[in-house]
């Protein structure tokens, strides 16, 4: 009995001695493992967490080894962004067929068609010019065709386009001896005769002298003032030509029966002028749009200019 108690005491002492000797070792072991991850017993962690730790999701598993992000300048997403931003600008330039919405774009004036229509309003004047014989004068049947009818709008007429014309000298006369030209036109005088000729004018505002020139030669001048210009030759005093210089495009020559027609005249007030080399010019005021025919009579008070074909050399 005593032996048993003594043995129990010895065993107890040994156990106590063993506990004292192992405590420092456990403490030292704990301090050495502070840098290592703490392993939590599975019994203290919820089941869902344990599963996540044991089998991580694919995204979480790949994240630590994903490649670094590229620099902003090399980002692949920049190309689609630029394309999307530029698309509206490209569409606005390449497709102008759509109705313009730009507030700066000029809009056609609403009254433009009305104004254009008013400018295009024209009229036609028809009529007949007659030449009556004055004292000691006689008139040939077709002589009226040497006359002239022209229109002067009250607000002014557009200047006609100048041209080039010819009056030749032949058989001691001018051919033609009546000519109508726009203001600013050039008149050439070729010598088609076998003798010397001279060409000059003493008309106020249109004076010139081209001198004397022989067969085959030609001289010219520019007539820049409207009105009647009388051309003569100082070698042959009977030679004469009438040149009517007009500052209006609205003119016509009557037919052999005296009938005439002036087309495309502007509607409005103006003056009709009737001219013949043997008579004093006549005028007729016009107001608005005239539809009735015009009849104008002139009286011959001057001798007729004979054509070169009847004078001989």
């Amino acid at each position: 009995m005593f032996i048993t108690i003594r043995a129990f005491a010895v065993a107890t002492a040994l156990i106590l001695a063993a506990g004292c000797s192992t405590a420092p070792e456990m403490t030292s072991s704990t301090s050495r493992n502070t840098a290592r991850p703490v392993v939590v017993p599975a019994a203290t962690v919820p089941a869902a967490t344990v599963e996540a730790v044991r089998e991580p999701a694919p995204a979480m598993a790949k994240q630590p080894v994903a490649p670094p992000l590229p620099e902003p300048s090399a980002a692949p997403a920049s190309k689609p962004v630029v394309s999307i931003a530029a698309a509206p600008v490209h569409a606005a330039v390449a497709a102008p067929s759509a109705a313009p919405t730009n507030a700066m774009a000029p809009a056609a004036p609403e009254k433009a068609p009305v104004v254009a229509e008013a400018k295009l309003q024209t009229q036609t004047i028809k009529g007949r010019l007659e030449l009556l014989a004055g004292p000691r004068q006689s008139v040939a049947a077709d002589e009226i065709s040497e006359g002239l009818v022209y229109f002067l709008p009250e607000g002014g007429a557009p200047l006609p386009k100048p041209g080039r014309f010819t009056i030749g000298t032949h058989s001691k006369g001018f051919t033609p001896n009546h000519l109508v030209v726009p203001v600013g036109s050039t008149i050439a005088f070729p010598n088609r005769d076998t003798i010397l000729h001279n060409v000059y004018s003493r008309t106020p505002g249109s004076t010139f002298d081209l001198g004397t020139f022989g067969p085959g030669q030609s001289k010219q001048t520019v007539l820049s003032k409207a009105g009647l210009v009388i051309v003569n030759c100082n070698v042959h005093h009977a030679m004469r030509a009438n040149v009517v210089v007009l500052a209006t495009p609205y003119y016509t020559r009557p037919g052999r029966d005296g009938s005439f027609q002036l087309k495309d005249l502007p509607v409005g007030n103006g003056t009709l002028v009737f001219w013949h080399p043997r008579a004093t010019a006549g005028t007729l005021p016009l107001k608005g749009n005239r539809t009735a025919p015009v009849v104008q009579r002139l009286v011959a008070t001057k001798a007729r200019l004979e054509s070169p074909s009847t004078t001989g050399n």
Side-chain angles (χ1 to χ4, degrees):
M1 181 71 167
F2 179 77
I3 295 174
T4 304
I5 294 171
R6 183 177 178 86
F8 176 77
V10 173
T12 301
L14 290 175
I15 291 171
L16 290 175
C20 293
S21 60
T22 57
E25 183 177 353
M26 291 176 63
T27 304
S28 176
S29 174
T30 302
S31 62
R32 285 197 305 268
N33 295 332
T34 54
R36 282 186 280 175
V38 176
V39 180
V40 181
T44 62
V45 182
T49 305
V50 173
E51 294 298 328
V53 173
R54 293 179 179 177
E55 296 184 6
M60 296 180 62
K62 293 181 179 180
Q63 184 174 0
V65 296
L69 294 177
E71 294 294 329
S73 60
S78 62
K79 183 174 181 181
V81 172
V82 173
S83 176
I84 294 173
V89 178
H90 177 72
V93 175
S97 58
T101 58
N102 189 356
M104 299 297 293
E110 296 181 358
K111 296 184 179 181
V114 177
V115 175
E117 183 179 355
K119 290 183 179 180
L120 294 176
Q121 288 183 351
T122 59
Q123 62 177 329
T124 298
I125 303 296
K126 297 180 181 180
R128 186 175 69 257
L129 181 62
E130 299 178 355
L131 181 64
L132 306 178
R136 299 182 297 275
Q137 301 294 327
S138 62
V139 177
D142 62 347
E143 198 173 347
I144 192 63
S145 61
E146 298 174 353
L148 173 68
V149 182
Y150 59 94
F151 178 67
L152 299 175
E154 189 176 86
L159 289 178
K161 183 179 180 180
R164 297 184 63 88
F165 300 86
T166 299
I167 297 179
T169 57
H170 176 66
S171 298
K172 298 181 181 179
F174 290 109
T175 304
N177 54 14
H178 299 295
L179 186 63
V180 180
V181 302
V183 65
S185 294
T186 301
I187 314 298
F189 297 90
N191 187 346
R192 295 170 179 167
D193 234 330
T194 58
I195 56 178
L196 295 175
H197 282 290
N198 168 270
V199 178
Y200 75 94
S201 176
R202 296 288 184 267
T203 303
S206 299
T207 60
F208 62 88
D209 191 338
L210 301 182
T212 302
F213 50 99
Q217 294 181 313
S218 180
K219 298 292 183 69
Q220 67 182 31
T221 188
V222 177
L223 301 180
S224 56
K225 183 179 180 180
L228 174 64
V229 179
I230 299 174
V231 181
N232 300 102
C233 173
N234 63 11
V235 177
H236 308 92
H237 300 287
M239 293 177 59
R240 173 175 168 164
N242 297 314
V243 182
V244 181
V245 183
L246 293 180
T248 173
Y250 313 117
Y251 67 91
T252 187
R253 305 292 293 267
R256 295 171 67 89
D257 62 349
S259 62
F260 68 87
Q261 182 173 278
L262 276 172
K263 297 181 178 181
D264 300 327
L265 301 183
V267 174
N269 300 339
T271 303
L272 274 179
V273 181
F274 306 90
W275 178 87
H276 195 278
R278 297 188 61 189
T280 302
T283 59
L284 176 65
L286 291 183
K287 294 186 179 297
N289 188 1
R290 184 185 177 102
T291 58
V294 174
V295 177
Q296 180 70 31
R297 296 179 176 89
L298 301 178
V299 178
T301 58
K302 305 173 185 178
R304 184 180 187 181
L305 289 179
E306 299 294 337
S307 63
S309 59
T310 61
T311 59
N313 287 324

